[in-house]
């Protein structure tokens, strides 16, 4: 059978959007689980703590399209919304973030089309995370659909902060009181400090563990 390559073309209903983007999420999740298992096998260490996946609701997609001046059509959804399918990878240490990003980039059937490094360059709010927009091929019966997935990679501490910031944003509809915004920025600084200290502590433990192992030989 001749399969034709498509980049979202031919998706003409919300049911098909759900089908294709859920398939893309499952593929990415499986890949991440395999890489995590391999890392455990080779290095006796799991860089990924857990994975969260979601499909954006139709209401959220329509709001985003309107915000950017697009009509609410399936075609515009697929073309202009990069985060219909979203996957969040939670890891223990900041060093894991870039390790995981490299592993994703090296996958032959994943194409990275955009990166935003909010770890090196945090948002003014204090938000930190590593974002990647990738495409993964979804094989249907009559065609291959290159499907966009937004990937966010962050530490447990960053995820905790981002969850609270998200709740506050929606509670106050993006206009939180100044003292709450200031407190959030301060919490982000504390989270960053905690991540740095935990990473340093973990590296010291690994070094001491290696010294003890060599001494026992």
């Amino acid at each position: 059978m001749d399969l034709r390559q498509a980049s979202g073309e031919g998706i003409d209903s919300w049911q098909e959007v759900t089908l294709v983007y859920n398939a893309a999420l499952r593929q990415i999740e499986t890949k991440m689980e395999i890489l995590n298992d391999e890392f455990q096998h080779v290095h006796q260490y799991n860089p990924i703590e857990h994975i969260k996946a979601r499909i954006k609701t139709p209401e959220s997609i329509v709001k985003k399209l309107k915000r950017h001046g697009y009509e609410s059509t399936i075609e515009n959804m697929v073309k202009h919304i990069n985060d219909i399918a979203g996957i969040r990878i939670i890891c223990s240490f900041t060093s894991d973030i870039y390790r995981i990003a490299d592993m994703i980039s090296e996958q032959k059937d994943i194409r990275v089309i955009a990166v935003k490094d909010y770890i090196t360059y945090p948002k003014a709010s204090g938000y930190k995370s590593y974002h990647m927009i990738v495409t993964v091929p979804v094989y249907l019966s009559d065609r291959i659909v290159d499907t966009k997935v937004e990937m966010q990679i962050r530490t447990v501490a960053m995820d905790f902060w981002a969850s609270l910031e998200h709740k506050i944003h929606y509670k106050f509809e993006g206009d939180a009181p100044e003292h709450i915004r200031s407190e959030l920025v301060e919490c982000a600084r504390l989270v960053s400090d905690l991540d740095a200290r935990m990473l340093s502590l973990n590296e010291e433990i690994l070094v001491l563990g290696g010294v003890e192992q060599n001494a026992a030989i």
Side-chain angles (χ1 to χ4, degrees), residues 53-98:
R54 64 102 184 97
I55 296 291
K56 209 172 186 69
T57 65
E59 293 79 14
S60 294
I61 294 172
V62 168
K63 280 183 182 178
K64 195 164 188 177
L65 284 171
K66 286 183 178 177
R67 195 161 66 242
H68 292 285
Y70 297 112
E71 288 184 41
S72 301
T73 65
I74 296 294
E75 182 182 0
N76 282 340
M77 280 184 191
V78 172
K79 185 176 181 180
H80 299 294
I81 306 298
N82 292 329
D83 62 344
I84 293 176
I87 193 160
R88 190 172 302 149
I89 299 171
I90 313 301
C91 51
S92 298
F93 305 105
T94 49
S95 58
D96 293 329
I97 293 171
Y98 295 101

Side-chain angles (χ1 to χ4, degrees), residues 97-135:
I97 293 171
Y98 295 101
R99 184 177 290 123
I100 293 165
D102 287 342
M103 290 193 296
I104 292 166
S105 300
E106 289 166 7
Q107 294 290 296
K108 298 300 182 187
D109 57 348
I110 291 180
R111 183 167 61 96
V112 179
I113 58 177
V115 168
K116 289 185 179 178
D117 185 353
Y118 295 118
I119 309 295
T120 306
Y121 306 101
K123 291 185 179 182
S125 64
Y127 175 85
K128 281 189 168 189
S129 189
Y130 192 90
H131 290 199
M132 304 174 78
I133 305 297
V134 305
T135 62

Side-chain angles (χ1 to χ4, degrees), residues 32-34 55 85 88-89 91 136 145 168 188 201:
M32 293 300 99
E33 287 165 2
I34 291 169
I55 296 291
R88 190 172 302 149
I89 299 171
C91 51
V136 62
V145 183
I168 290 170
L201 181 59

Side-chain angles (χ1 to χ4, degrees), residues 168 171-172 174-184:
I168 290 170
K171 173 73 174 177
F172 295 99
D175 191 26
E178 177 60 33
H179 72 280
I180 290 180
R181 293 202 299 271
S182 297
E183 187 69 14
L184 265 178

Side-chain angles (χ1 to χ4, degrees), residues 88 127-129 152 154 156-168 184 191:
R88 190 172 302 149
Y127 175 85
K128 281 189 168 189
S129 189
Q152 299 177 355
R154 60 178 68 149
V156 175
M158 291 174 194
D159 192 53
F160 181 40
W161 183 94
S163 295
L164 179 59
E165 194 258 357
H166 184 76
K167 290 177 185 175
I168 290 170
L184 265 178
V191 163

